Amino acid sequence: MKNRDVNEMNQPQALPRLPALPGFAPVLGLRHFGHGLLLLLALLAGLFADQAAPRPFAQWRWMDIVGEGGMAIMVGVWLAYVRASRPAGPVSNWLCLGLSCMLLGSYVDVLDEFWLLPKSVLWDNWLESTLTPLGMLLLTVGLHHWRGEQLALQRQLGPRERDFRDHRRIDALTQLADAGYMAEQIALERSAGRASTLLMLGWQGFDGVARRHGLAEADRMVQSASRLLLLHLPPDTLLCRYAGDRLVLLLPAGSAAPERLQAVLADWSYHLPGGEALALPVQAAQARTDEALEPQALLLRLLDRMR
């Protein structure tokens, strides 16, 4: 027993695994775009070191160093965020090129605070005067195309987010907004003076699906049902997941959609991997957003009516 303990103590301990670094999207098809940008920064530093004299410490202007250095760092952080969070494409290209030019221009400004170039050298003035404005121009073009991209995404995500966007409210299973998001939408409806209809849908006996076929199949059933409802939603409608199999919709007042959507879900059956068609009785409950209840309490009342 002691020998085994000694052997275990002599075994090398596995080092904790570091979290993986985010993948950076290529720019202009170049996956090593960032390495090329770092090389340009190094070349600029080499040019200053070759053609300039170090600025005496007494002449360092700390306000400019902190301001211009902080600007360069922040532009570099923005560039890293864009490449780490966006897929490759023309919008990403414009944004990254604009931020890269701004980074190079800010970097030249910072180097000027540490090096003194002869007055006969003009290339640094050209770089300072052209890189940052060029970067702002390219970034503006990128933002223009980004706006078109966002409008297209808004049309695609309309039934999922309506007039308000909050990525923190996305349900991981269905990619719909959650109950908290629906509560915020109810509050917005009231502040706008609109009285809309709330519809909650679900199945009777859904708990038995998880017991008989497993939790994964129950989750896939909810996913499939949410996609089906998205295909049948009228304009100005919001679909969210409340909890479990309960889906809640915000519909314009007086719409005939509640009965139609309930019929769509009632006529649908989920096909299990073995080919068995699973159909459960559909439950539904309705309410108006102008009822004298807090939004969360109103959703809880809908849930109680489903039981």
Side-chain angles (χ1 to χ4, degrees):
M1 185 70 176
K2 292 181 178 180
N3 291 335
R4 188 180 66 179
D5 294 340
V6 171
N7 291 335
E8 290 178 355
M9 294 178 61
N10 292 332
Q11 292 293 328
Q13 298 294 321
L15 296 176
R17 298 184 64 180
L18 297 176
L21 294 175
F24 292 109
V27 180
L28 297 176
L30 303 174
R31 186 160 296 277
H32 297 288
F33 176 83
H35 296 89
L37 186 60
L38 291 175
L39 180 60
L40 284 177
L41 295 175
L43 289 175
L44 286 173
L47 280 174
F48 272 87
D50 180 62
Q51 301 186 23
R55 186 184 294 271
F57 182 78
Q59 296 182 15
W60 286 15
R61 293 169 294 188
W62 289 103
M63 186 67 69
D64 292 342
I65 291 173
V66 172
E68 295 171 0
M71 179 64 181
I73 292 173
M74 290 309 302
V75 173
V77 171
W78 297 343
L79 178 59
Y81 266 102
V82 170
R83 291 194 65 201
S85 58
R86 288 188 52 85
V91 176
S92 297
N93 291 340
W94 285 109
L95 295 176
C96 291
L97 288 175
L99 290 172
S100 298
C101 288
M102 292 177 64
L103 174 60
L104 291 172
S106 301
Y107 185 65
V108 172
D109 289 340
V110 174
L111 292 177
D112 267 341
E113 300 300 326
F114 298 99
W115 301 90
L116 286 169
L117 283 166
K119 294 184 178 180
S120 58
V121 176
L122 300 178
W123 54 263
D124 66 317
N125 292 327
W126 280 98
L127 290 177
E128 290 180 15
S129 302
T130 57
L131 282 174
T132 300
L134 176 62
M136 296 175 70
L137 176 62
L138 295 175
L139 185 61
T140 302
V141 174
L143 290 174
H144 172 73
H145 291 292
W146 173 80
R147 177 180 178 274
E149 178 187 76
Q150 291 301 305
L151 291 175
L153 290 174
Q154 184 175 345
R155 289 191 295 270
Q156 180 181 356
L157 297 175
R160 297 175 184 261
E161 64 180 17
R162 211 163 181 242
D163 299 326
F164 183 76
R165 179 173 295 175
D166 187 351
H167 67 279
R168 300 167 300 177
R169 296 292 194 178
I170 300 297
D171 174 63
L173 175 64
T174 60
Q175 294 302 300
L176 301 173
D178 59 12
Y181 185 87
M182 179 59 77
E184 292 174 359
Q185 287 292 312
I186 295 172
L188 289 175
E189 289 292 297
R190 292 176 176 176
S191 63
R194 294 191 296 262
S196 301
T197 300
L198 285 171
L199 172 66
M200 184 173 287
L201 295 172
W203 294 281
Q204 184 178 350
F206 180 78
D207 293 341
V209 176
R211 290 194 300 268
R212 292 191 302 270
H213 306 286
L215 185 59
E217 285 302 322
D219 287 344
R220 281 192 283 269
M221 184 175 178
V222 176
Q223 285 177 329
S224 300
S226 63
R227 293 169 187 158
L228 175 71
L229 290 175
L230 285 171
L231 295 175
H232 291 82
L233 290 184
D236 299 326
T237 303
L238 175 67
L239 173 64
C240 295
R241 185 191 184 198
Y242 184 79
D245 64 315
R246 305 311 190 193
L247 302 171
V248 60
L249 297 102
L250 182 64
L251 302 157
S255 171
E259 292 76 15
R260 182 166 57 84
L261 293 171
Q262 184 177 350
V264 166
L265 199 59
D267 294 337
W268 172 77
S269 58
Y270 175 69
H271 291 272
L272 296 167
E276 177 187 352
L278 183 62
L280 296 176
V282 173
Q283 295 177 301
Q286 293 188 41
R288 289 173 58 90
T289 57
D290 57 353
E291 294 187 18
L293 286 173
E294 292 296 322
Q296 292 285 5
L298 183 57
L299 292 172
L300 284 173
R301 172 178 287 185
L302 277 176
L303 185 63
D304 289 336
R305 292 175 182 173
M306 299 277 285
R307 292 171 181 168

